[in-house]
Amino acid sequence: MSIHAIRIVAALTVVMGLIYITWRWTASLNWDAWWIALPLVAAETYSLIDVALFSLTIWRMSNREVAPTAPQGLTVDVFITTYNEDPELVLETTRAALAIRYPHTTWVLDDGARPEMRAAAERLGAGYVSRGSEWQGKPRHAKAGNLNNALHETQGEYVLILDADQIPRPEILDQTLGYFNNRRVAFVQTPQWFGNVPENDPLGSQAPLFYGPIQQGKDGWNAAFFCGSNAVLRREALMQLGLAGYVEDTERRVSRALTAGRRVLRTARRRPEARDPNVAALLARVEAALAEGSRRLDSGDSFGDATYFVQADVDAAVRTLVARDLEAASADAAALRAELAEFEEEALGDDPAELDAAVDRLVARDLSPLGALESVRALLDAVSVERLHEAQPIMPLSTISVTEDMSTSMRLHASGWRSVYHHEILAVGLAPEDLPSMLTQRLRWAQGTVQVMLRENPLNMRGLSWPQRLMYFATMWSYLSGFAAVVYFAGPLAYLLFGVLPVHALSTAFFERFVPFMVLNQILFVLVAQGAKTWRGQQYSLALFPTWIRACTSAAANVWFGRPLGFAVTPKSRGERRRALPLVWPQAILAVLLIVGCVTGVIRWGFGLSQGLGTVVNIVWAIFDVVLLSVLVGAARYQGYEPRAVADKEEV
């Protein structure tokens, strides 16, 4: 299909959507039923923005038909990441990695530190990397930490990252390394495709829309994502990113500490003990030192220069006050000791939000002069340039999210690097084989994406072009669909059960605006998909609304309040059969309500309690919702993949 035809349909879709949504906001709202009318029009507005972002994405779809020839003599490390996967599964991937044609070194990155895994990998001729003792008691950062550790233990110019279940094809490096002839290319991403998915794809694992038009569209805007596996990355770009991140984070921490220290001292100077001229002079001297430290930092001096003299002045002031044996200060210092220990534990984490919260709590205390000086010293110790709380101060891959890939690629783009999406299946993986495993996987993806949105919103990230910002934001925005889905399910129920219509009336004005927009929207999907089966993805985008809502709320609680998320590895093999119904009870209840609503709507119509047109439209709407939810019936019954040959034999 011509890109020009796709652009015409995309533009018409957005224009018709704008006409429809403008009319909805200005001329159709039923204010007597505002409690459903406003949420519904807000959900429709959300969907229009989603359509507009999708249209922008596919506006410049790339078409990389032939990969550049891979230059000879490059050094490549192949990383196979594993934690608790079946060793035989890891070894199958290792054998395939060793068989890659382009010269390389294969490494098994075992975060489970299993001796039998080391012995098996070395027996095959692969290298083995696990965490050392320096990681004990330090933040591990899950897969990102595993990869960062391996980057410090190896030397290849390029790194191919594979999940434990992704079997690479021998030509994977020949088909990707040529793109690095462009010195600004940081990574090349290839599709994730799964060999254990039946034709009807009951769990929606293949994602042909994302690993196709969406990634090709993002590639056209130089915003293709790194997806965690089946990607080749330039080590230079990653290490540069790690260094830049280290400097930026340390600068932010030091600046925050110097500013907070001045606030602590200003509060302490209001205490009665500070009326002593000698004590007041000490506090003024340290406050001036903090101001000088901030000035040095703003003028570009090193972190050490900005904080060294401040720390010296603080230490001298503390010694002076202790020598004077101020009774009140000594008592306060004893009471403060436990709180400072707690502050240091919180402030030494890698999460900027945790540091800020710890600093705010410390600043809010009413401290004596000695307590204030001890607090300033704790602040400066917490932002030490040495970063002794980290096993590795330099973290090339981002650690702010349970999914390290999106944040890492966004930071690379913001640093001026380029990316490539090569649309060729070069590795075959294993998809989840039951509904519980699939839900675990989707929840983790969504949580990680929302974490990134809340911590590093691309719309505010310096260095990204506006198209790049919108490409990242489009993916983050899509995970808010759970809230819109609730409204779309509630809409027909409001009328069928209670006779409440969110619009004034289902008039000709409504249909002549709504129908063209919906028809064009579906035509756009068909044209862009180019024969790929995308219906399953459309079903799951709404049917998994509880998962998307949980992801948003749990990620927000993690970012804003420090509540842990945990990290669950998606099972790669079929284990004990788990009951699926308890995991989808909201959808089951909703499906029953929709069916009851249809029956009730017919009865109300028969008794003249509702309009004929309104009843028919809402019954059609409810049936459509049930069809969307019905995808979970097949998913719950799915017993796992059976190869065609085995299935044929059983039939005979």
Side-chain angles (χ1 to χ4, degrees), residues 383-427:
V383 298
S384 169
V385 175
E386 286 78 15
R387 303 288 290 279
L388 299 178
H389 63 288
E390 287 279 10
Q392 290 179 181
I394 306 300
M395 293 286 187
L397 276 83
S398 173
T399 59
I400 68 165
S401 165
V402 294
T403 52
E404 74 294 332
D405 39 24
M406 174 182 284
S407 177
T408 298
S409 60
M410 190 164 68
R411 291 178 177 186
L412 285 168
H413 284 128
S415 298
W417 291 95
R418 299 190 62 82
S419 62
V420 168
Y421 174 69
H422 180 72
H423 190 52
E424 178 183 3
I425 297 171
L426 295 171

Side-chain angles (χ1 to χ4, degrees), residues 193-245:
W193 191 84
F194 305 100
N196 63 332
V197 175
E199 183 67 21
N200 63 340
D201 195 6
L203 301 180
S205 298
Q206 295 294 20
L209 194 63
F210 180 79
Y211 288 110
I214 290 179
Q215 275 282 55
Q216 289 174 300
K218 294 180 187 298
D219 189 30
W221 295 107
N222 185 33
F225 291 179
F226 165 44
C227 299
S229 183
N230 305 2
V232 183
L233 298 95
R234 187 189 297 269
R235 182 186 295 268
E236 175 192 354
L238 289 175
M239 298 310 293
Q240 182 187 101
L241 186 65
L243 287 168

Side-chain angles (χ1 to χ4, degrees), residues 222-494:
N222 185 33
F225 291 179
F226 165 44
C227 299
S229 183
N230 305 2
V232 183
L233 298 95
R234 187 189 297 269
R235 182 186 295 268
E236 175 192 354
L238 289 175
M239 298 310 293
Q240 182 187 101
L241 186 65
L243 287 168
Y246 172 84
V247 171
E248 182 179 343
D249 184 52
T250 303
E251 182 177 11
R252 192 194 70 83
R253 286 169 175 260
V254 171
S255 178
R256 181 84 165 91
L258 292 172
T259 302
R262 293 166 68 186
R263 289 170 57 195
V264 167
L265 292 179
R266 282 197 295 268
T267 301
R269 291 176 71 176
R270 294 196 291 266
R271 290 283 295 257
E273 304 95 304
R275 294 171 186 167
D276 183 306
N278 293 322
V279 174
L282 283 174
L283 294 178
R285 175 177 137 197
V286 175
E287 191 173 352
L290 288 166
E292 174 62 16
S294 296
R295 189 198 65 77
R296 286 173 177 258
L297 194 66
D298 293 340
S299 64
D301 286 6
S302 69
F303 303 136
D305 288 344
T307 59
Y308 175 77
F309 295 105
V310 178
Q311 288 171 316
D313 279 347
V314 172
D315 290 341
V318 169
R319 286 194 299 270
T320 301
L321 283 182
V322 170
R324 290 171 57 87
D325 193 25
L326 296 178
E327 183 179 348
S330 298
D332 187 74
L336 186 65
R337 196 170 296 120
E339 183 164 342
L340 289 180
E342 181 182 352
F343 163 76
E344 289 173 357
E345 182 178 349
E346 294 175 340
L348 290 179
D350 63 293
D351 187 346
E354 291 181 5
L355 171 64
D356 291 344
V359 169
D360 288 339
R361 284 193 295 272
L362 197 62
V363 169
R365 277 182 55 94
D366 181 21
L367 299 169
S368 70
L370 180 56
L373 291 172
E374 289 283 10
S375 297
V376 172
R377 185 154 63 178
L379 283 166
L380 294 174
D381 287 344
V383 298
S384 169
V385 175
E386 286 78 15
R387 303 288 290 279
L388 299 178
H389 63 288
E390 287 279 10
Q392 290 179 181
I394 306 300
M395 293 286 187
L397 276 83
S398 173
T399 59
I400 68 165
S401 165
V402 294
T403 52
E404 74 294 332
D405 39 24
M406 174 182 284
S407 177
T408 298
S409 60
M410 190 164 68
R411 291 178 177 186
L412 285 168
H413 284 128
S415 298
W417 291 95
R418 299 190 62 82
S419 62
V420 168
Y421 174 69
H422 180 72
H423 190 52
E424 178 183 3
I425 297 171
L426 295 171
V428 179
L430 295 178
E433 294 220 340
D434 59 26
L435 181 60
S437 299
M438 182 269 275
L439 293 176
T440 297
Q441 181 189 68
R442 304 295 169 85
L443 176 64
R444 188 180 76 249
W445 288 350
Q447 285 175 327
T449 301
V450 176
Q451 278 182 307
V452 176
M453 179 175 68
L454 296 177
R455 285 182 171 147
E456 292 185 337
N457 191 322
L459 298 180
N460 301 325
M461 180 169 278
R462 290 179 298 176
L464 293 177
S465 66
W466 268 105
Q468 287 175 324
R469 297 181 190 199
L470 292 173
M471 291 303 99
Y472 280 103
F473 184 73
T475 297
M476 299 170 182
W477 178 259
S478 68
Y479 284 113
L480 302 178
S481 63
F483 301 101
V486 171
V487 181
Y488 288 140
F489 291 129
L493 289 175

